[in-house]
Amino acid sequence: QVQLVESGGGSVQTGGSLRLSCKASRFYASGYCLAWFRQTQGTNREGVAMFKSDGTTTYADSVKDRFTISWDNADNTLDLQINSLKPEDTATYYCAADLRPWSICNANRHFYESWGQGTQVTVSS
């Protein structure tokens, strides 16, 4: 497993931007998947952006063209740039890691074995 610590959440108005960061402890894996999920009270965690070790990125349809996931391998930091925020983006955002070399790297939360503590994003209209 890997330790994950998120930061960068906050309160913004509709149309604003935020940059979330997730600092990971150093890990060694031949293949891996890193992801951002979000969750509101009473709902399941929703995968919004995934980064695979081969550089492939995947986004949920609801955030495509507004969210950008990036991984700095030298700094072990996973970022999520969020633009054009909407009230429906309000949620607790979590980063997650799946260090299995055969990782499918999709939005299924059950595939991820490491999770951060979450950071709150609140968007007001």
Side-chain angles (χ1 to χ4, degrees), residues 93-107:
Y93 284 71
Y94 299 88
C95 62
D98 174 5
L99 302 186
R100 297 171 298 173
W102 56 86
S103 174
I104 297 175
C105 206
N106 63 16

Side-chain angles (χ1 to χ4, degrees), residues 7-49:
S7 62
S11 297
V12 296
Q13 292 188 326
T14 298
S17 298
L18 280 174
R19 190 174 186 86
L20 309 183
S21 289
C22 174
K23 182 70 173 179
S25 58
R26 189 153 298 278
F27 63 89
Y28 301 94
S30 57
Y32 54 87
C33 180
L34 307 170
W36 284 97
F37 284 73
R38 65 186 181 186
Q39 185 175 26
T40 56
Q41 196 169 7
T43 67
N44 291 324
R45 288 186 187 184
E46 171 196 20
V48 296

Side-chain angles (χ1 to χ4, degrees), residues 6-123:
E6 302 97 333
S7 62
S11 297
V12 296
Q13 292 188 326
T14 298
S17 298
L18 280 174
R19 190 174 186 86
L20 309 183
S21 289
C22 174
K23 182 70 173 179
S25 58
R26 189 153 298 278
F27 63 89
Y28 301 94
S30 57
Y32 54 87
C33 180
L34 307 170
W36 284 97
F37 284 73
R38 65 186 181 186
Q39 185 175 26
T40 56
Q41 196 169 7
T43 67
N44 291 324
R45 288 186 187 184
E46 171 196 20
V48 296
M50 279 64 69
F51 179 94
K52 195 170 182 179
S53 50
D54 64 2
T56 304
T57 56
T58 309
Y59 298 93
D61 288 342
S62 59
V63 306
K64 208 168 287 186
D65 299 326
R66 298 190 298 120
F67 288 23
T68 303
I69 189 171
S70 60
W71 168 243
D72 185 334
N73 193 54
D75 194 40
N76 273 28
T77 301
L78 182 73
D79 285 345
L80 185 68
Q81 178 66 39
I82 309 175
N83 298 326
S84 303
L85 276 157
K86 305 176 182 180
E88 52 264 43
D89 294 320
T90 295
T92 302
Y93 284 71
Y94 299 88
C95 62
D98 174 5
L99 302 186
R100 297 171 298 173
W102 56 86
S103 174
I104 297 175
C105 206
N106 63 16
N108 187 331
R109 68 189 187 279
H110 298 295
F111 289 154
Y112 296 83
E113 70 270 12
S114 300
W115 293 88
Q117 83 288 350
T119 186
Q120 178 67 35
V121 172
T122 303
V123 185

